[in-house]
Each structure stands twice: as structure tokens, then as C-alpha cells.
Amino acid sequence: VDESLFESALGAPAKKGSTGQFIMMYHGTLTHIYGLDIAIEALARAQQQIPNAEFWILGGGPEKAALEKLAVRLGVAGKVKFIGNVLPQEVPQWLSRCDLGVLPTRRDVFLDYSFSNKLSEYIIMGKGVICSRLNAIRHYFSDDALTYFEPQDPTDLARQMVKLARNAELRERKARQAQQEYEPINWGVMKARYLAVTDA
């Protein structure tokens, strides 16, 4: 992710939701592999402990209708907001509005080695992140930087949602550590490495 695309959002005051609202966010395609049903189920399990929490979903995809029905069935339709598609240049401003990024990717033999650009974007924006415990991500980021949960486990995800919603200092500390651990693989570093390979 090119950090320069986020400079304007980092320098502008964030537009938050209503007073006291705790906003968790996902942005990207709405497909089965990204585990949004797991996140919605986790929110349903956590809502009594964090009644001010909402889950905002940016993007579209084939799972949208099923996810909307799931939110209704679990009684969290008013807390899960489907924002829809936004322009790429609008993503940084949207991310500035959240308190926490949630990346509930499912784990399988392939996804265990996936690395989402969405993760980099939350880190650049200084946001705490809850994400699935995938091998590729664990390779780069410690438990001090990201909050991991066991993939496909909404109970574990709910527990982490509650913990971070109740502890702003923990979110901020992890976000700072994630930015430090991201420096060796940021766009400037990786672009130089890529160009060196192609020039060889």
C-alpha cells in the first residue's frame, strides 16, 4: 500500500459517528472467504457487553444479501451497517472514522499464506486490528502489534472485540507497535526491492 495515498486523511480530523459509538470496520469484497458472517455472529455474541458497538461494512459482493439476512436473524441488523461500494480515494477518510479494523478471513491451506492489503491500510491509519491467526500475517506481526483470534471461531472473535472495545489504551499501544513492525515491509522498502529485482 502506498502510504502517500493516506496523507490527507491522516492530517484531517476524523468524522465519527454518534457520541459514544464504537465503530468496527471491514472494507473489501463481500465473499465467503473473508469471513464476514463470522464477524456478524461475533458481534451478536458480544453486543450485551459492548452495546455501543457497530460493525460497518464497506464494499459489495455476492454474500451481501446473505449477510444482511444473517444480521436480521441474529438481532444485530441495527448494528451492522452496509455502506456499499466507495471510491478508492475515499477509503482513507472512511477508515479514519473507525476505532478498530476487523479482518476475519477464513483459514485454509491457501488462505493461511495470504496477506491482505486491508491490513496495511488500517496500520497506516493508526488503527488497532483484530485478524485471523494466519501464518503469513504471524510471520510479520507479533501479538504485541495485532490482536489475533482463532479463524472460524466467532466466540474467540467476540472475546477480542469486547477486550479492545473496553481498552482504548491497548488499542493505541498495539497500533503503534504494528506501525513499527510494518516499517521493514512498507511500500517504500518493497518498491525498492521489486525494482532491484526487475533491473537485475
Side-chain angles (χ1 to χ4, degrees):
V1 175
D2 186 347
E3 290 95 327
S4 67
L5 301 175
F6 292 78
E7 289 177 354
S8 60
L10 287 168
K15 295 180 181 178
K16 297 293 291 182
S18 59
T19 303
Q21 195 177 36
F22 182 78
I23 301 171
M24 297 180 284
M25 188 174 286
Y26 165 91
H27 65 295
T29 309
L30 279 54
T31 62
H32 182 71
I33 65 172
Y34 292 129
L36 292 167
D37 57 316
I38 299 167
I40 292 173
E41 186 172 345
L43 177 62
R45 297 184 184 200
Q47 65 173 328
Q48 288 190 346
Q49 297 179 74
I50 45 172
N52 62 327
E54 294 186 356
F55 185 38
W56 292 13
I57 300 174
L58 280 63
E63 290 291 306
K64 182 179 180 182
L67 294 170
E68 289 174 331
K69 290 179 181 177
L70 178 64
V72 171
R73 180 168 63 81
L74 295 178
V76 290
K79 294 179 176 294
V80 180
K81 299 190 180 300
F82 292 88
I83 306 299
N85 292 318
V86 301
L87 295 173
Q89 60 268 30
E90 295 174 345
V91 168
Q93 289 294 343
W94 277 102
L95 298 192
S96 72
R97 302 178 66 178
C98 76
D99 297 289
L100 185 67
V102 180
L103 300 175
T105 307
R106 283 182 157 80
R107 181 169 61 195
D108 62 24
V109 66
F110 299 109
L111 292 171
D112 210 14
Y113 294 95
S114 66
F115 188 104
S116 171
N117 274 351
K118 294 184 281 290
L119 174 59
S120 301
E121 292 172 343
Y122 286 118
I123 291 172
I124 291 168
M125 290 299 298
K127 303 298 181 178
V129 181
I130 301 178
C131 63
S132 300
R133 191 181 296 276
L134 302 179
N135 270 334
I137 298 174
R138 291 276 295 166
H139 177 76
Y140 294 105
F141 295 100
S142 70
D143 288 349
D144 292 330
L146 304 180
T147 300
Y148 292 104
F149 78 98
E150 191 61 27
Q152 286 98 284
D153 187 344
T155 299
D156 195 24
L157 177 52
R159 180 175 62 85
Q160 301 293 16
M161 285 178 172
V162 171
K163 181 171 73 173
L164 290 184
R166 291 176 169 177
N167 194 334
E169 191 278 331
L170 177 61
R171 295 197 308 272
E172 293 166 5
R173 186 171 72 245
K174 286 195 170 223
R176 291 193 299 270
Q177 182 64 30
Q179 289 180 326
Q180 291 180 23
E181 295 182 14
Y182 180 65
E183 287 181 6
I185 58 169
N186 68 25
W187 174 238
V189 172
M190 300 309 288
K191 177 173 66 173
R193 290 176 61 181
Y194 178 76
L195 291 175
V197 170
T198 58
D199 288 343

